[in-house]
Amino acid sequence: VVLAAGHGTRMKSSQPKVLHRVPGGSMLNCVIRTAEALSPETLTVVVGHAADAVRAHLGADTTVQFALQQPQLGTAHALLQAAPLLAGRTGTLILLSGDVPLLTTATLKNLVSEHCGTQAAATVVTATVERPFGYGRIVRVDGELARIVEERDASPAERQIKEINSGIYAFDMAPLFDALSTIASQNAQGEYYLTDLIAIYRRRKLVLKTVLVDDPQEVRGVNSRTELAEVSRLVRQKKNEELMASGVTLVDPAAPYIDPDVEIGADTVIHPGVIIEGRTRIGAACEIHAHVTITNTEIGDNVTIKSFSLITDSRIDAGAQVGPFAHLRPETVVCEGAKIGNFVELKKTTLGPHSKANHLSYLGNATIGTKVNVGAGTITCNYDGEHKHETVIEDGAFIGSDSQLIAPVRVGKGAYVAAGSSITHDVPAGALGIARGRQSVVDGWVERKKQGSSNKATSSRKDAGKPAH
Ligand code: UD1
Ligand code: CA
């Protein structure tokens, strides 16, 4: 069961807290992924505040079942709402918190084996931290877990305790829901605290255990934007260390922002300010220069991406070069050894092997063959205001600078398009397509113009300086 019904008042957000993102996804997604790794019989998320938004966020194809907590009266009350969905079930219930995103599967597995091995009624995951502020404290009597006291209800002496409650537990289902319904709300927040269950179990002489995590960072809870930023930094730090250990050079390990699922090959160099998101895979020996953003993209070996490029949902094959200032929009394929230069935008376009579009172009809905040269300022006019149309440029074609290719249109194998052409009809293989105003030359025009302007001083002709044709 994952608790995700709270508002998260301290976030000061119109969004429910658990939908706020850390690298790799929303906090709730991170927790659900960890839970799924245990292959639970059922997975229940307790929703309440902005319940529809949380349900929608998890999508229609989720295997999660939802329990509704309305109103939100505290963590004990939240867990009770899952009781009807779990009626008749026995065994172990693992309780996770939607705002503790860094928890690892390894810790959960350890929790399960300790809990089952000791046949405890409840096992609490705890951590020893230097700054326990804000967490529930673990109160021990003769070394045994006796109760958990919340920060706001703690005495000054209890506030000195450095062992904290992570909000992650394993429970034997048998006594759980009955005991939960006996919890009262006489505390500083007037809420039904799940943590009160511990004292109740102790009175009933049920077995209570704790599992201490090695790395207290793993159970950091997120209650504010500051904590969200701190937890996010921890995720990035861990990822960056893993990448460096696997042979990736990070010029400044504090500077790139790389999502946890990103894969990068050895000897690739990542410069400062680079953002790599989603399911992106980058090959070996690539160089990603400063301030490049790459999302959900597949990149081969030996690729260079120059500064300030933005690349989304695309594929770039081995040996290609992209940027600076390139914009690769979804469904772009840059084939082996191809080159995209500065201020070039591609969308739903394949640029074939060893082809080039080096300067100032828009290429949309285009299929471009091998060794094609796309001149500076070329534009595929793919949109007629209602529909998108395809442009095909076959192998070895040469598109002169400042040409417009008005789609649907095809430039055949090896054909040339003269610079400055507006191509509205197919250009067959081997042909030259030229479609521009003819140049005329007016001999002696400048001299006549000068005379015209000296006349102007006396006659003030209004059209002085205009071309003489
Ligand atoms: C809780 C624990 C505290 C522990 C800390 C660890 C209690 C009373 N306190 O405190 O001992 O150290 O977590 O991070 O349990 N929620 C609901 N419904 C509610 C209230 C909360 O679903 O009515 C959910 C929240 O969405 C959140 C989780 O429960 O995901 C924890 O709630 P929160 O208010 O953040 O508890 P803490 O004060 O952090
Ligand atoms: Ca919390």
Side-chain angles (χ1 to χ4, degrees):
V1 175
V2 179
L3 299 189
H7 180 180
T9 321
R10 289 162 278 180
M11 295 295 284
K12 308 240 166 65
S13 175
S14 62
Q15 262 199 359
K17 173 168 73 176
V18 295
L19 297 194
H20 281 263
R21 287 177 64 87
V22 293
S26 68
M27 291 197 274
L28 183 57
N29 269 143
C30 293
V31 173
I32 287 176
R33 232 181 287 152
T34 311
E36 278 171 344
L38 286 184
S39 310
E41 277 178 41
T42 63
L43 181 50
T44 307
V45 175
V46 181
V47 293
H49 175 79
D52 290 340
V54 178
R55 280 199 197 95
H57 173 76
L58 293 182
D61 58 343
T62 177
T63 54
V64 160
Q65 54 180 356
F66 296 97
L68 184 64
Q69 184 198 20
Q70 207 65 272
Q72 296 86 49
L73 301 178
T75 46
H77 179 254
L79 179 53
L80 256 184
Q81 309 314 304
L85 289 174
L86 300 172
R89 291 192 176 267
T90 56
T92 303
L93 185 152
I94 304 291
L95 185 70
L96 304 177
S97 198
D99 66 350
V100 182
L102 303 188
L103 187 76
T104 63
T105 309
T107 295
L108 277 188
K109 287 190 171 153
N110 186 34
L111 169 66
V112 172
S113 80
E114 286 288 316
H115 176 79
C116 296
T118 56
Q119 298 196 314
T123 305
V124 184
V125 176
T126 72
T128 306
V129 298
E130 271 315 302
R131 293 187 307 137
F133 176 75
Y135 291 96
R137 306 297 206 282
I138 301 294
V139 180
R140 292 184 181 272
V141 174
D142 302 327
E144 296 287 313
L145 172 62
R147 60 196 176 87
I148 298 173
V149 61
E150 291 305 297
E151 170 92 19
R152 298 206 220 186
D153 303 291
S155 67
E158 286 166 339
R159 283 192 188 153
Q160 299 304 309
I161 298 173
K162 291 194 165 147
E163 189 181 8
I164 58 119
N165 169 29
S166 69
I168 315 295
Y169 320 80
F171 296 114
D172 176 11
M173 301 267 287
L176 180 64
F177 291 114
D178 173 57
L180 274 180
S181 60
T182 69
I183 288 174
S185 59
Q186 272 94 34
N187 51 54
Q189 301 196 82
E191 286 188 357
Y192 297 91
Y193 287 167
L194 178 59
T195 43
D196 285 353
L197 193 72
I198 302 303
I200 293 170
Y201 274 14
R202 186 170 162 90
R203 280 198 295 278
R204 296 186 183 180
K205 302 207 160 33
L206 296 174
V207 179
L208 294 169
K209 292 286 174 194
T210 57
V211 169
L212 184 74
V213 290
D214 294 333
D215 178 8
Q217 304 284 30
E218 201 190 304
V219 295
R220 293 261 310 241
V222 172
N223 298 310
S224 65
R225 306 259 181 175
T226 302
E227 286 166 349
L228 184 71
E230 285 167 1
V231 162
S232 299
R233 188 175 49 77
L234 287 170
V235 178
R236 289 197 298 269
Q237 222 167 45
K238 184 169 166 232
K239 179 67 184 179
N240 290 352
E241 274 158 23
E242 283 168 13
L243 286 171
M244 289 189 288
S246 71
V248 177
T249 294
L250 305 182
V251 172
D252 174 1
Y257 288 57
I258 304 173
D259 273 4
D261 294 337
V262 170
E263 293 172 37
I264 305 180
D267 290 321
T268 286
V269 178
I270 311 281
H271 289 265
V274 169
I275 300 174
I276 309 176
E277 302 171 319
R279 291 176 309 282
T280 293
R281 238 179 32 217
I282 299 180
C286 294
E287 186 142 13
I288 315 293
H289 288 271
H291 304 291
V292 165
T293 300
I294 305 172
T295 307
N296 296 331
T297 289
E298 186 91 15
I299 297 181
D301 297 339
N302 293 302
V303 167
T304 302
I305 313 285
K306 295 187 183 161
S307 296
F308 301 105
S309 295
L310 177 61
I311 300 169
T312 308
D313 297 306
S314 294
R315 195 188 94 204
I316 302 170
D317 294 343
Q321 279 191 45
V322 172
F325 298 99
H327 189 185
L328 271 51
R329 294 168 54 204
E331 297 180 56
T332 291
V333 179
V334 178
C335 297
E336 194 174 339
K339 263 187 87 185
I340 301 287
N342 42 210
F343 304 104
V344 174
E345 173 182 349
L346 287 90
K347 201 215 74 185
K348 263 197 182 181
T349 284
T350 298
L351 184 69
H354 305 285
S355 289
K356 294 175 186 171
N358 276 338
H359 332 265
L360 303 154
S361 279
Y362 171 65
L363 302 171
N365 301 82
T367 306
I368 301 169
T370 305
K371 290 192 178 156
V372 168
N373 189 80
V374 178
T378 297
I379 293 171
T380 56
C381 307
N382 60 333
Y383 187 49
D384 61 11
E386 270 177 65
H387 302 287
K388 298 282 170 69
H389 301 282
E390 301 288 322
T391 299
V392 177
I393 306 174
E394 295 181 355
D395 296 349
F398 180 97
I399 311 299
S401 296
D402 194 30
S403 293
Q404 299 97 57
L405 302 166
I406 300 175
V409 74
R410 173 182 293 264
V411 177
K413 213 169 172 177
Y416 269 60
V417 167
S421 291
S422 291
I423 298 296
T424 53
H425 298 100
D426 290 357
V427 180
L432 167 70
I434 179 162
R436 63 188 183 208
R438 257 182 198 283
Q439 178 173 346
S440 53
V441 173
V442 183
D443 286 324
W445 180 85
V446 175
E447 200 47 44
R448 287 203 299 280
K449 173 176 174 282
K450 275 187 194 152
Q451 286 165 9
S453 56
S454 63
N455 288 346
K456 184 187 159 198
T458 51
S459 70
S460 74
R461 270 182 56 186
K462 283 210 174 93
D463 58 348
K466 283 191 183 163
H469 70 286

